[in-house]
């Protein structure tokens, strides 16, 4: 139980750290709105085409927005020495990784999921499906941020390389995209949603076990080299 | 009390970092009076490390920063009155509700010291603790070091200025160790330790 208490404490303080700069939320939020709203403008009045493509477009927008927030995860703490203190004071780094993951997802990604149905209106998305879509987006993006923690932990001190990060983790985002967007297609049968949800929920559990451990090992190496 | 000396870049901070566990060491054993000799990886749990960086979050107030930092040096939640005592001792009590972005370099260092002095570990590792501190704060720090030595703690310090020499009681208890003696171009400092 001390571990859970420690985790709860750290989540609360990481949340406070994010709330100290609420303006940072605008960056991914505006990016997500922009990228989704550009499609109806570019494709013109084509309701059928847009309705067909809407789930995919929203998923692509969310994936790119998640990509935008990943550098915010560990880079500030690597640069100001907080992570060296974590290692030197032997606090469990998995607590740190989990707290960063949960708070960053809740602060940056959850608002995007909440406005996704509104953006869906511009894409002629069937609004009766919006609850299903939000559930899938939630599970998928949670796993995405978790996989992202491993990728960002590999990055060297201060040298954030977006291209290298994309090469490292985008392949792991592909199945999330395929299952997430595929099970929302208007043509797909009713079982597709359940299958997609099961896959994404399983992936979340798998990532919950793997990512804190893997990111901890990588962060230890990165701190030792810095 | 051990004073590590040597020119810049010879590895004083690296020695402290590897003793604290922040830098994994391949091999080595550490011991001090009253404790049997331990492998270096086990020794890390005896140490409290004060680094050369000040991980202070600009978005938080001084009080919030201290509460967060206290978690690193004290495994339990610290009583607010203990935090208040530390802030008063470091002369930062009046600034407790200010944003940490307003703090000067020396004040940040004092805030780190306030958190560090909460630690209960028997070995202190101080990496350039006096940089940026004024004369009063240096004197107070030397006083804390003397108290810790009297309480039976061990201190390893790196510094380019022996600020503790103003305290006559502390001076004779300081052992100098020049890292130049260990470092030859072939073996390197890691081998020596």
């Amino acid at each position: 139980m001390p571990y859970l208490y420690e985790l709860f404490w750290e989540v609360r303080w990481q949340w406070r750290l994010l709330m100290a700069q609420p303006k940072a939320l605008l960056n991914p939020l505006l990016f997500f709105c922009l990228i989704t709203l550009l499609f109806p403008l570019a494709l013109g009045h084509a309701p059928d085409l847009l309705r067909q493509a809407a789930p995919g477009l929203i998923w692509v927008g969310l994936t790119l927005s998640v990509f935008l927030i990943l550098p915010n995860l560990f880079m500030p703490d690597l640069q100001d020495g907080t992570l060296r203190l974590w290692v030197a004071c032997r606090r469990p780094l998995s607590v740190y990784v989990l707290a960063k993951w949960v708070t960053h997802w809740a602060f940056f990604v959850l608002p995007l999921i909440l406005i996704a149905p509104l953006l869906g209106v511009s894409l002629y998305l069937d609004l009766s499906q919006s609850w299903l879509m939000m559930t899938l987006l939630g599970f998928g993006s949670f796993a995405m941020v978790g996989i992202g923690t491993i990728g960002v932990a590999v990055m060297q001190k201060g040298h954030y390389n977006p291209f290298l990060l994309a090469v490292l983790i985008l392949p792991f985002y592909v199945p999330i995209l395929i299952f997430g967007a595929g099970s929302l297609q208007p043509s797909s049968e009713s079982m597709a949603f359940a299958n997609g949800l099961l896959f994404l929920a399983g992936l979340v559990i798998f990532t919950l076990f793997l990512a804190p451990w893997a990111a901890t090992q990588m962060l230890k190496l990165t701190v030792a080299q810095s | 009390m051990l004073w590590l000396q040597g020119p810049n870049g010879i590895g004083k901070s690296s020695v402290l970092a590897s003793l604290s566990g922040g830098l994994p060491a391949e091999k080595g054993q550490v011991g001090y009076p009253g404790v049997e000799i331990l492998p270096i990886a086990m020794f890390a749990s005896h140490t409290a490390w004060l680094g050369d960086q000040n991980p202070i979050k600009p978005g938080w107030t001084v009080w919030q920063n201290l509460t967060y930092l206290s978690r690193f040096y004290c495994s339990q939640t610290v009583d607010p009155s203990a935090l208040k005592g530390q802030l008063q001792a470091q002369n930062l009590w009046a600034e407790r509700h200010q944003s940490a972005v307003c703090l000067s370099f020396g004040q940040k260092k004092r805030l780190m010291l306030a958190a560090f002095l909460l630690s209960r570990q028997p070995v202190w590792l101080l990496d350039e603790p006096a940089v940026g501190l004024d004369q009063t704060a240096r004197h107070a720090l030397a006083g804390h070091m003397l108290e810790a030595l009297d309480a039976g703690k061990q201190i390893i310090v790196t510094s380019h200025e022996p600020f503790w020499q103003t305290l006559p009681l502390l001076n004779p208890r300081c052992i100098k160790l020049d890292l130049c003696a260990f470092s030859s171009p072939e073996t390197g400092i890691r081998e020596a330790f």
Side-chain angles (χ1 to χ4, degrees):
Chain A
M1 285 309 107
Y3 187 86
L4 278 184
Y5 181 75
E6 183 93 7
L7 182 62
F8 177 69
W9 199 88
E10 189 59 32
V11 165
R12 220 175 44 183
W13 279 95
Q14 291 296 342
W15 183 255
R16 270 179 214 175
L17 191 59
L18 289 174
M19 289 305 277
Q21 282 153 331
K23 269 187 237 162
L25 174 61
L26 277 181
N27 214 358
L29 198 66
L30 285 180
F31 181 77
F32 183 53
C33 294
L34 206 66
I35 210 164
T36 355
L37 289 178
L38 278 180
F39 281 104
L41 293 178
L43 293 176
H45 186 70
D48 287 334
L49 181 66
L50 281 171
R51 192 178 298 121
Q52 191 73 24
L57 295 181
I58 288 181
W59 269 96
V60 168
L62 192 79
T63 308
L64 294 178
S65 312
V66 165
F67 228 79
L68 205 63
I69 65 160
L70 286 182
N72 207 3
L73 273 169
F74 302 137
M75 279 301 133
D77 283 351
L78 261 176
Q79 276 158 356
D80 74 2
T82 312
L83 265 170
R84 296 186 74 176
L85 209 56
W86 273 90
V87 177
C89 297
R90 295 165 306 284
R91 289 180 71 192
L93 270 172
S94 56
V95 166
Y96 171 81
V97 174
L98 271 174
K100 280 277 182 194
W101 175 6
V102 172
T103 49
H104 273 71
W105 178 79
F107 185 80
F108 288 114
V109 187
L110 203 55
L112 306 188
I113 297 172
L114 292 178
I115 62 157
L118 286 179
L119 295 172
V121 172
S122 69
L123 298 171
Y124 299 96
L125 191 74
D126 188 4
L127 273 186
S128 64
Q129 271 200 331
S130 55
W131 282 112
L132 307 183
M133 185 183 71
M134 282 160 80
T135 319
L136 286 172
L137 284 175
F139 277 105
S141 60
F142 194 69
M144 278 180 182
V145 179
I147 294 166
T149 59
I150 307 176
V152 181
V154 176
M155 298 285 123
Q156 296 295 302
K157 181 190 187 185
H159 300 292
Y160 179 74
N161 187 341
F163 178 71
L164 190 60
L165 186 69
V167 170
L168 264 178
I169 63 176
L170 267 188
F172 297 99
Y173 283 7
V174 170
I176 303 179
L177 267 178
I178 293 173
F179 274 86
S183 45
L184 283 174
Q185 288 300 332
S187 56
S188 63
E189 65 265 45
S190 60
M191 278 301 285
F193 170 71
N195 288 343
L197 189 64
L198 279 177
F199 172 79
L200 290 180
L203 195 67
V204 164
I205 294 171
F206 178 68
T207 321
L208 267 176
F209 279 99
L210 178 72
W213 174 78
T216 297
Q217 303 302 322
M218 288 326 275
L219 281 178
K220 274 187 187 159
L221 278 181
T222 309
V223 169
Q225 281 171 7
S226 64
Chain B
M1 177 169 155
L2 189 64
W3 175 20
L4 298 181
Q5 283 177 313
N8 292 137
I10 199 153
K12 301 186 291 295
S13 297
S14 306
V15 169
L16 288 192
S18 50
L19 285 175
S20 75
L23 198 66
E26 270 177 33
K27 54 182 176 184
Q29 290 177 321
V30 195
Y32 60 91
V35 173
E36 78 269 37
I37 293 180
L38 294 166
I40 196 163
M42 310 257 290
F43 181 72
S45 61
H46 292 245
T47 60
W49 176 74
L50 182 69
D52 50 349
Q53 283 174 308
N54 303 328
I56 287 169
K57 305 291 176 196
W60 280 344
T61 65
V62 171
W63 181 258
Q64 283 175 317
N65 267 303
L66 181 65
T67 318
Y68 185 68
L69 286 169
S70 71
R71 194 78 188 175
F72 289 101
Y73 291 111
C74 225
S75 50
Q76 278 91 41
T77 310
V78 186
D79 190 36
S81 64
L83 295 180
K84 180 183 174 187
Q86 286 298 339
L87 274 189
Q88 281 169 336
Q90 297 296 338
N91 212 1
L92 285 168
W93 180 246
E95 285 94 355
R96 66 187 179 281
H97 293 309
Q98 268 185 27
S99 163
V101 85
C102 316
L103 293 184
S104 73
F105 184 78
Q107 282 174 318
K108 282 183 185 162
K109 201 82 196 173
R110 291 218 300 264
L111 183 55
M112 288 305 295
L113 274 173
F116 176 80
L117 290 172
L118 291 165
S119 69
R120 296 275 168 273
Q121 312 290 354
V123 180
W124 282 9
L125 307 172
L126 302 173
D127 196 348
E128 299 283 352
V131 170
L133 294 183
D134 58 17
Q135 280 307 322
T136 348
R138 284 180 183 201
H139 202 71
L141 175 60
H144 284 300
M145 287 160 74
L146 184 61
E147 268 174 42
L149 286 179
D150 283 339
K153 294 190 182 190
Q154 312 287 325
I155 300 178
I156 305 179
V157 60
T158 71
S159 184
H160 288 290
E161 337 158 47
F163 60 93
W164 54 83
Q165 285 179 352
T166 51
L167 272 190
L169 277 174
L170 201 55
N171 225 1
R173 302 170 78 166
C174 173
I175 304 163
K176 286 180 200 169
L177 179 65
D178 199 337
L179 290 190
C180 291
F182 292 96
S183 184
S184 65
E186 292 86 40
T187 53
I189 192 73
R190 278 165 196 252
E191 200 57 27
F193 275 82

